[in-house]
Amino acid sequence: MNGTNSTATTLSCKVQKQQPTVVQNKQLNHPRITTMAALDIERCELECEINNFGHRTYLNGRDRLIVRRGQPFTITLHLRSGQFQPGVTTFSFVAETGPCPCESAGTKAEFSLSGAVDLNQWSAAVSCHSGNTVSLSICSPPDARIGRYSLTMTQGGSTRLGDFILLFNPWCPGDSVYMEDEEELKEYVLTQDGLIFRGTEKHITHCAWNFGQFEPGILDACLQLLDMNPKYLSNADQDCSKRNDPIYVSRVVSAMINCNDDKGVLAGNWGDCSDGVSPMSWNGSVEILRNWCGSYCQPVKYGQCWVFAAVSCTVLRALGIPSRVVTNFLSAHDSNSNLIIERYYDENGTIIKKTRDSIWNFHCWVESWMTRPDLKPGFDGWQASDPTPQERSEGVFCCGPISVKAIKEGELTFKYDAPFVFAEVNADVVCWMQRKDGSQEKLSFFNRVGQRISTKSVGKDVREDITHLYKYPEGSEEERHVFEKANHQNKLLKPKPAPGLHLKIKVTEGMRNGCDFDVYAVVTNNTPKPKLCRLMFCARAARYNSTVGEECGMKDLLNMQIPPNEEKQIPLRLNYSKYCEAITEDNLIKLVALLIDYETKDAMLAVRDIYLENPEIKIKILGEPKQDRQLAAEITLKNPLSEPLQGCLFCVEGANLTDGKAIQEPIASVSPGQEAKVKVYFTPKQSGLRKLVVDFNSNKLRDVKGYRNIIIGK
């Protein structure tokens, strides 16, 4: 991929008048047809190295032409004999994409040589000529269809000059994905790695991700993804004609990242993943997209929301659309579009599954930058798309794009899928207790969805809170106006007065995987008389999508006395010996406290998810990082558990660091308190700031994440 020679189309026979001749392209091995022409062309240089650098696609390699729409590129014709004569020599060009190119569909363009290139349409002009060479400047319009193109020159007969790939151009003011800020363009288009935020709203963690949009083979995978979508397979001409529109393209990508309706990239799994790769184990998108291509578009097992979003981000950046992964904490899944998430508990505080509604600890989607001419003015900019298969949109498992501003303003009639995304950040949570006799009682419960919406900051490895882009401050007049517009009646109800008893859950700092620790139910009696209550306090292993597993701690106090105007803290001990076999790779435990006032029959609920911290992965770089020079990294992790780790494996990768592959280093076992240590070698291929991303897996510590920034010198 990184050769230094420009692609040349060699036309190796003399052209004779009106005598079509098949000629051979020695480099590309394609037959060419030419006829009598004013110019006797020997070969065509596509100037890949110069053009790709100027179009910011050089990280894709220099062995083929990859350019962005609305920006001129240069090709050079080498003549066997004769010279170009301005005003005398004439010829024209044809640029074509798709299986059946057509001018009316915008997939074919015929244009003649002119005095200067026109940045708003397909055009060509001679930039310089000397002796037996003619340099041409060719430009596509800023709304051209993206994809694979052939370029043909006609001068009585036709000569195929070569092939190129055309991408969106966020540097071009006329392009609908134009982004003005250069630092944002670097982050959202050119940067090949980033951070994805997970955990809980009270304990946000992050993992590094290798997007790798310029790694060898990834652009081809992204173009194949477009050609495998059902719209292309049913009507390829119509699909290709719409590829000038980032709204259409991002919607296709949203559908094709999951495989629920098509030959999409990823299969989702929130349960047993033993017949595939656990979603937690992936370090980046490169291996996923390559596996999909290499298996003739069979879905890769498995993905969950951050994997779907990250792979989508890779594809969109590769195609030239500025994109970023976003995490919404306490994210609602409103399956019946009533903006209410109903949850049911029995009298012991155990969740009863009665609806498809749920609250996820976090949920990831992708935002892309583009104009929205299909909406009224004011809704350009960031658009949310969600490739995780949750609900159907127009009969297909996809979601978006929907203007983030439209979500903030409560514009639920806007395309696409505004009600679903609005509910993810604004739905109300209503909890019920179902008694043994079947009767139900509404629980006093306070919980807000759509909290601490996060993405990586531009140019820095820190979290940027973008909640304000999705919603107005809670309790503000603007928020109330939005709820009125969205007909969110439950949010408009006046809150009931607080009960005399108050219940919350309190935790301690440093809840580490492998440790024993206490959590607390805190009950406050705000009345002037004593209270007699029942308290159920339970801990269960949980997954981030709200499903719960085995119990790992329980306390049931049938007759708890609380003096007037006093507070009681009731501890619950969580022992590693009990939770170690229960927790999943999500490292989450769900705490549920249910308090019943015997006198008033009022029932109060408190819920909190806690994240168990994994040990730190330490990465030490050995030697001076230089391009094309072998480098070593020493990676260590200390076993914090009281038992040995078996079947240990370090997986290491990084864009332009590990040659697009994951380096695997196994270790048989690691004793308690001892270090797992490996040394890996790799050769950086590009200078600049890069991330070395590490995953550690074993039988007891699963998918521990770490990374190290490395500045590669030239």
Side-chain angles (χ1 to χ4, degrees), residues 328-333 358-363 365 424-425 449-450:
N328 176 40
F329 288 94
L330 292 177
S331 188
H333 181 171
S358 59
I359 302 289
W360 293 22
N361 280 79
F362 67 88
H363 181 55
W365 56 75
E424 287 183 305
V425 299
V449 305

Side-chain angles (χ1 to χ4, degrees), residues 473-491:
E474 292 176 358
S476 66
E477 194 61 37
E478 293 92 341
E479 182 194 51
R480 183 172 182 83
H481 176 69
V482 167
F483 291 157
E484 288 172 348
K485 186 189 297 184
N487 196 28
H488 196 347
Q489 297 298 327
N490 216 59
K491 287 282 191 182

Side-chain angles (χ1 to χ4, degrees), residues 463-532:
R463 186 183 73 90
E464 180 182 350
D465 194 303
I466 57 171
T467 309
H468 64 282
L469 298 182
Y470 281 84
K471 53 204 296 189
Y472 286 102
E474 292 176 358
S476 66
E477 194 61 37
E478 293 92 341
E479 182 194 51
R480 183 172 182 83
H481 176 69
V482 167
F483 291 157
E484 288 172 348
K485 186 189 297 184
N487 196 28
H488 196 347
Q489 297 298 327
N490 216 59
K491 287 282 191 182
L492 296 172
L493 296 174
K494 290 184 178 180
K496 292 183 178 180
L501 290 172
H502 181 262
L503 175 66
K504 67 178 182 180
I505 295 172
K506 179 182 176 182
V507 300
T508 56
E509 292 294 325
M511 294 175 290
R512 295 182 177 86
N513 195 355
C515 295
D516 302 338
F517 54 90
D518 290 319
V519 293
Y520 302 88
V522 181
V523 183
T524 306
N525 181 3
N526 295 314
T527 71
K529 57 182 181 179
K531 287 285 187 179
L532 181 64

Side-chain angles (χ1 to χ4, degrees), residues 452-468:
R452 306 186 74 181
I453 304 174
S454 305
T455 193
K456 179 187 175 297
S457 292
V458 174
K460 296 180 290 186
D461 283 353
V462 297
R463 186 183 73 90
E464 180 182 350
D465 194 303
I466 57 171
T467 309
H468 64 282

